[in-house]
Amino acid sequence: GRLPGLRVKYVLLVWLGIFAGSWMVYLHYSSYSELCRGHVCQVVICDQYRKGIISGSICRDLCELHKVEWRTCLSSAPGQQVYSGLWQDKEVTIKCGIEEALNSNARSEAAPRRELVLFDKPTRGTSIKEFREMTLSFLKANLGDLPSLPALVGQVLLMADFNKDSRVSLAEAKSVWALLQRNEFLLLLSLQEKEHASRLLGCCGDLYLTEGAPRGSWPAALPPLLRPLLPPALHRALQQWFGPAWPWRAKIAIGLLEFVEDLFHGSYGTFYMCETTLANVGHTATYDFKMADLQQVAPEAAVRRFLQGRHCEQSADCTYGRDCRAPCDRLMRQCKGDLIQPNLAKVCELLRDYLLPGAPADLREELGKQLRTCTTLSGLASQVEAHHSLVLSHLKTLLWKKISNTKYS
């Protein structure tokens, strides 16, 4: 006999659900070959190294001794290859950009094209004095005209001497110049003295190694291709179920607030967090906060340069990155310079979902009140100095009082 009509409908719905889910997974994994092309990156870099065009502290280990082990692909964009790896018995993160190679579909001419586009400066005959001035001008354009920049130039030149022979060769200069074009490398260099940023371990051309990726919340630890499949509400639920215990979350939150302090008027200027998500909230094995990804942290000078004179019809037209948004002057139809939300306000919005669930009953009301106050802060220069510092200090004190003199501190 025939199946009852109701049962046929159920079977049909289940089949459609399976088909739709399979199609979504296929669409995301169909781009896997584009997202994960570490082998292309290594071939291109080692080709340039063998030709004597680039140099670096790990080139020999990477290209001759094969002591850099590539493991899991962590890339979220084709142009920026990110892998977990192993080097000198340490867990590391390997990062390399391959825009030119990808655009040419990894053809045989990809390597020469990369040489022309990326490793074209400085040119032969450039003196060390000229290279110093060239580096200083670049840093001024990207970080602002700061009195501390000559010291940063000194760090760059010291790093450029990869073989420690007290001189900078053309290959070394080309390599460090290419690295400076990588936004995250420039930020890592600027934040090397800060405990909440990953430490640079070595480089070859514009490929570089940092400390192993910090641990993250369960949803953030998912492969990049699977994250879009989870709705935001499910992300939050998984965070509560599988995340650290509340006191550990409080400790991580204190570190995140300290990182916001580091970004505000640091030695090399102010930086803006332009993608504030739980995926960037990482931590060590002892639950000390570590920023998982600096790709979307931008220098104030770069954001202002992007916004200055930009035509707009609404505030959405004045957006740098994902959420660094400035007001639109509708009379002049140009973006204003001050951001609508400062770093601290965006971080407090994140902490409301991260800290309030599971918070101790005697703390929840006061914590909620302070986080609400924090989220209303504006990016106007008149508010930023004293008011932001006061709000941030109160939040840190409130959290620290709850976990101090316990095993969680």
Side-chain angles (χ1 to χ4, degrees), residues 24-25 27-29 31-32 34-36 72-78 80-84 213 217-230 235 275 279-280 293:
M24 288 175 69
V25 170
L27 287 177
H28 282 86
Y29 271 98
S31 61
Y32 184 86
E34 287 291 313
L35 272 181
C36 301
T72 308
C73 173
L74 306 173
S75 308
S76 57
Q80 180 66 21
Q81 293 297 294
V82 183
Y83 279 75
S84 65
S217 59
W218 192 85
L222 283 172
L225 288 168
L226 288 181
R227 288 179 202 162
L229 296 176
L230 293 181
H235 268 270
E275 184 173 0
N280 287 330
D293 186 9

Side-chain angles (χ1 to χ4, degrees), residues 236 239-240 246 248-258 260 273 276-278 281 289 343-359 364 367-368 370-372 374-375 391-392 395-396 399:
R236 289 193 291 271
Q239 168 60 43
Q240 292 171 32
W246 188 88
W248 290 130
R249 278 185 275 148
K251 184 181 180 183
I252 294 166
I254 291 170
L256 176 55
L257 292 169
E258 289 173 349
V260 172
M273 299 170 69
T276 318
T277 66
L278 271 180
V281 179
F289 170 77
N343 290 335
L344 184 55
K346 290 190 286 188
V347 163
C348 285
E349 275 190 4
L350 192 70
L351 291 180
R352 286 171 71 174
D353 288 333
Y354 190 68
L355 284 179
L356 289 179
R364 191 178 296 117
L367 179 60
Q370 291 205 22
L371 287 172
R372 280 193 300 275
C374 178
T375 56
V391 170
L392 194 149
L395 262 175
K396 282 175 57 181
L399 293 172

Side-chain angles (χ1 to χ4, degrees), residues 132-391:
R132 182 186 293 271
E133 291 171 353
M134 177 177 160
T135 304
L136 181 60
S137 297
F138 175 82
L139 293 175
K140 279 183 180 178
N142 286 274
L143 299 177
D145 193 357
L146 305 167
S148 56
L149 287 189
L152 187 58
V153 173
Q155 284 187 48
V156 171
L157 293 178
L158 192 64
M159 177 178 288
D161 183 17
F162 299 122
N163 58 6
K164 308 301 178 191
D165 63 352
S166 301
R167 57 184 291 273
V168 178
S169 67
L170 181 61
E172 288 172 332
K174 281 178 180 286
S175 298
V176 81
W177 181 259
L179 282 166
L180 287 174
Q181 313 311 306
R182 299 288 173 203
N183 181 58
E184 187 183 38
F185 181 87
L186 180 59
L187 293 170
L188 285 171
L189 193 63
S190 305
L191 299 170
Q192 273 302 279
E193 297 173 3
K194 310 299 183 183
E195 61 179 307
H196 302 303
S198 296
R199 194 162 54 91
L200 285 166
L201 300 177
C203 51
C204 180
D206 71 327
L207 177 150
Y208 57 96
L209 304 185
T210 66
E211 292 173 314
R215 305 178 186 197
S217 59
W218 192 85
L222 283 172
L225 288 168
L226 288 181
R227 288 179 202 162
L229 296 176
L230 293 181
L234 185 54
H235 268 270
R236 289 193 291 271
L238 289 172
Q239 168 60 43
Q240 292 171 32
W241 297 336
F242 297 101
W246 188 88
W248 290 130
R249 278 185 275 148
K251 184 181 180 183
I252 294 166
I254 291 170
L256 176 55
L257 292 169
E258 289 173 349
F259 181 69
V260 172
E261 285 183 296
D262 292 342
L263 296 181
F264 183 64
H265 287 336
S267 304
Y268 302 113
T270 297
F271 296 87
Y272 293 136
M273 299 170 69
C274 294
E275 184 173 0
T276 318
T277 66
L278 271 180
N280 287 330
V281 179
H283 59 83
T284 64
T286 55
Y287 297 95
D288 293 309
F289 170 77
K290 281 279 187 184
M291 189 67 176
D293 186 9
L294 288 172
Q295 285 292 326
Q296 295 299 324
V297 177
E300 180 183 30
V303 176
R304 288 190 177 277
R305 187 170 62 248
F306 172 83
L307 293 172
Q308 189 172 16
R310 188 176 184 84
H311 176 80
C312 64
E313 298 292 337
Q314 54 188 349
S315 292
D317 300 327
C318 303
T319 306
Y320 181 98
R322 179 174 171 177
D323 55 23
C324 281
R325 182 172 296 180
C328 174
D329 185 331
R330 298 201 175 181
L331 183 63
M332 302 293 294
R333 293 192 175 181
Q334 286 189 349
C335 299
K336 296 181 180 179
D338 290 323
L339 296 184
I340 295 172
Q341 268 193 314
N343 290 335
L344 184 55
K346 290 190 286 188
V347 163
C348 285
E349 275 190 4
L350 192 70
L351 291 180
R352 286 171 71 174
D353 288 333
Y354 190 68
L355 284 179
L356 289 179
D362 60 338
L363 181 75
R364 191 178 296 117
E365 184 178 349
E366 179 62 22
L367 179 60
K369 180 182 174 183
Q370 291 205 22
L371 287 172
R372 280 193 300 275
T373 300
C374 178
T375 56
T376 62
L377 294 172
S378 80
L380 296 174
S382 57
Q383 273 200 21
V384 166
E385 296 288 346
H387 193 191
H388 286 210
S389 299
L390 190 63
V391 170

